Amino acid sequence: MFNPLQRVPLLLFFLALSTISAAESDTPISRFQNYLRINTAHPNPNYTSPITYLINFANSIPNLHSKVLHLTPTIPLLLLTWPGTSTPSLPSILFNSHLDSVPAEPEKWTHPPFSAHKTSDGRIFARGAQDDKCIGMQYLEAIKTIQSKDPDFKPLRNVHILYVPEEEVGGFDGMGKFVETKEFKELNVGFVMDEGQASTNDEFRVFYADRTPWHMVIKAVGTPGHGSRLYDNTAMENLMKSIEVITKFRESKFDIVKAGLAANSEVISVNPVFLKAGIPSPTGFVMNMQPSEAEAGFDIRMPPTADPQLMRKIIEEQWAPAWRNMTYEITEKGFLRDNMGCPLMTLTSDSNPWWSVFNEAVTRAGGKLSKPEILASTTDARFMRRLGIPTFGFSPMKNTPILLHDHNEFLKDTVYLEGIKVYESIIKSLSSFEGSYEHRCNAVSQQ
């Protein structure tokens, strides 16, 4: 368990905070800035400091209970709970965010990436400002505001706020392990909200599915020989033929996107990421020798509508056929089907009452949702959807450039404050919902 007495990693952090006046450090914006100043970037994210900071803030909110679990000896997870009045008759609501962030290159930023510098126009520059420390604090600020504005309000369902580690490196040692624990099963989760992405217009984006990465390496072998001779089925020849076929597949999918018939996230994408061949020499490569081996790596992204068996058949028969002296290896970095064999998607229609409640809550807060999307990348939501738990990805940021993982990531103070108001409506509506939901499969259309 987490030991709150282990304060050494926090020393520099709290010394920095000591320069902030008491009044300035007690606002939603300054609290957000303080959270952003904690460096949780990989490859060595600091998990102790943010958990301590969040617990201290949670302790200022009445009836909010905290619990720290260790998924491994060095990887903690924080669970906060606002108890509901109907426990345990109704499944709980879970709001998830992740503690870790991707690295930043300070020399390429206008302001230091962990300074949370706020400009005169309200832009707060920090790694994690959009991805996704914003929602991690907005959940708490929303509950704090609800209790202040409406002290008589009590949620029917348990409301859990979860802060998980390791999302940016796949989540397998974070959410992936947590969903297998008895502590998670005891939560009796009925609905989950996880991170989304910013919207560049005045509508909020919402995601009902993620794409799943496949990492594929194709290897070709062939006869080595003098660079002046022509051979059939050389390693490089066969690999180049494979790349040509893959490129045509990629172009066919991209044409669908360019024609406006599907979003980028709705098609199978494939991109080359490395080539490895040739015989090294002190000055580069031996130019008069044909190599006997050649490899290429590809990043494939599979939407839940894709047929994984069909995709494997295409790879085996067209991209890396054995008759061309080729082999391949696929590393699936996730899953496309849930535990019932259904596509890993959450319904966004009135047949899913959670969708209706969520949509109405956003509207009540003065917002509007754009057409529901499949996320082009992956989040921890996939671990929930795999269990058949309806899960939406949502980060209330509109009229905001999409800067996750980019240099100069920022979020405007007005956008952040509006997000708190949106979550006030969402948390009250979802936690008061008395209906039920039965998990059903979505229909699958092949790309």
Side-chain angles (χ1 to χ4, degrees):
M1 296 295 291
F2 172 74
N3 182 358
L5 297 178
Q6 294 176 342
R7 304 284 184 168
V8 176
L10 294 172
L11 180 57
L12 294 178
F13 170 66
F14 283 114
L15 283 175
L17 296 189
S18 66
T19 62
I20 303 174
S21 68
E24 183 185 2
S25 63
D26 195 28
T27 67
I29 293 299
S30 62
R31 287 191 288 264
F32 180 41
Q33 289 176 284
N34 294 342
Y35 187 41
L36 290 171
R37 291 183 178 117
I38 306 174
N39 187 340
T40 58
H42 286 281
N44 298 302
N46 174 1
Y47 291 132
T48 301
S49 298
I51 286 179
T52 298
Y53 182 76
L54 291 166
I55 289 176
N56 287 338
F57 183 28
N59 286 341
S60 71
I61 303 173
N63 206 26
L64 199 58
H65 310 300
S66 61
K67 185 176 184 179
V68 179
L69 302 170
H70 271 87
L71 304 172
T72 74
T74 59
I75 300 180
L77 168 152
L78 174 62
L79 175 67
L80 304 176
T81 299
W82 188 14
T85 58
S86 67
T87 306
S89 60
L90 292 175
S92 65
I93 310 297
L94 190 148
F95 293 86
N96 184 59
S97 71
H98 57 86
L99 296 163
D100 57 326
S101 59
V102 294
E105 301 172 81
E107 67 278 6
K108 297 178 180 178
W109 285 58
T110 305
H111 305 283
F114 295 99
S115 66
H117 177 84
K118 181 181 172 186
T119 59
S120 58
D121 62 355
R123 290 179 296 167
I124 302 171
F125 285 84
R127 175 58 83 219
Q130 293 188 17
D131 183 20
D132 66 352
K133 289 182 176 179
C134 51
I135 61 173
M137 289 298 290
Q138 285 169 329
Y139 298 153
L140 291 176
E141 296 286 358
I143 292 176
K144 182 180 179 70
T145 304
I146 291 170
Q147 294 188 3
S148 175
K149 288 182 178 178
D150 189 0
D152 293 330
F153 176 81
K154 299 293 186 296
L156 288 175
R157 301 172 185 263
N158 281 345
V159 176
H160 302 293
I161 304 177
L162 189 63
Y163 299 88
V164 295
E166 304 294 278
E167 191 275 345
E168 294 291 5
V169 290
F172 296 102
D173 284 333
M175 184 68 85
K177 284 189 175 178
F178 181 56
V179 297
E180 300 297 328
T181 65
K182 67 178 181 63
E183 287 85 358
F184 174 78
K185 293 176 175 62
E186 290 170 353
L187 298 182
N188 187 26
V189 176
F191 178 76
V192 177
M193 295 208 66
D194 200 358
E195 64 177 313
Q197 284 185 8
S199 168
T200 56
N201 56 40
D202 60 0
E203 295 181 339
F204 294 119
R205 300 171 73 191
V206 59
F207 302 90
Y208 63 91
D210 294 357
R211 288 201 299 181
T212 298
W214 282 12
H215 294 171
M216 179 182 68
V217 176
I218 292 177
K219 183 175 181 180
V221 297
T223 303
H226 196 281
S228 65
R229 298 189 61 183
L230 293 176
Y231 297 96
D232 280 328
N233 292 317
T234 65
M236 286 296 289
E237 177 193 12
N238 285 333
L239 184 62
M240 289 169 65
K241 287 180 178 177
S242 176
I243 292 174
E244 182 179 354
V245 173
I246 294 171
T247 299
K248 289 181 179 179
F249 178 92
R250 181 185 186 277
E251 289 174 350
S252 71
K253 300 301 179 184
F254 207 4
D255 285 345
I256 294 173
V257 175
K258 291 176 180 178
L261 301 177
N264 171 71
S265 60
E266 295 175 335
V267 302
I268 300 170
S269 67
V270 54
N271 288 299
V273 292
F274 78 81
L275 292 170
K276 185 167 67 174
I279 301 167
S281 75
T283 57
F285 290 90
V286 177
M287 297 298 290
N288 63 348
M289 290 184 64
Q290 298 185 48
S292 61
E293 295 183 359
E295 288 185 24
F298 300 86
D299 184 326
I300 302 171
R301 299 293 170 128
M302 299 280 287
T305 52
D307 182 341
Q309 298 306 317
L310 176 60
M311 193 66 216
R312 285 185 173 275
K313 184 177 181 181
I314 290 173
I315 293 170
E316 181 176 351
E317 296 181 357
Q318 301 177 29
W319 295 7
W323 58 266
R324 281 214 308 256
N325 300 325
M326 306 187 78
T327 58
Y328 67 91
E329 182 178 347
I330 297 173
T331 303
E332 297 185 29
K333 308 296 287 186
F335 15 79
L336 288 166
R337 300 290 182 263
D338 65 22
N339 290 343
M340 294 174 57
C342 305
L344 222 59
M345 301 187 287
T346 298
L347 286 168
T348 55
S349 65
D350 290 339
S351 58
N352 175 6
W354 288 115
W355 167 253
S356 302
V357 174
F358 167 68
N359 194 2
E360 290 169 6
V362 172
T363 302
R364 195 176 300 115
K368 182 180 180 181
L369 295 176
S370 60
K371 179 183 176 181
E373 303 174 60
I374 297 173
L375 190 67
S377 54
T378 56
T379 67
D380 281 335
R382 57 189 172 147
F383 296 106
M384 299 297 182
R385 295 189 185 111
R386 192 184 190 196
L387 300 175
I389 301 173
T391 303
F392 292 132
F394 178 73
S395 294
M397 300 178 286
K398 64 183 184 182
N399 299 314
T400 299
I402 303 169
L403 296 171
L404 71 167
H405 298 198
D406 203 345
H407 305 314
N408 292 318
E409 180 181 355
F410 74 81
L411 187 63
K412 289 198 70 171
D413 54 0
T414 52
V415 174
Y416 177 76
L417 293 173
E418 182 184 12
I420 295 173
K421 294 180 180 179
V422 172
Y423 275 122
E424 289 175 41
S425 179
I426 290 173
I427 291 173
K428 290 186 74 172
S429 296
L430 294 177
S431 65
S432 301
F433 175 55
E434 298 184 66
S436 60
Y437 172 80
E438 183 178 350
H439 175 51
R440 297 184 299 174
C441 284
N442 267 321
V444 181
S445 61
Q446 305 301 335
Q447 293 291 342

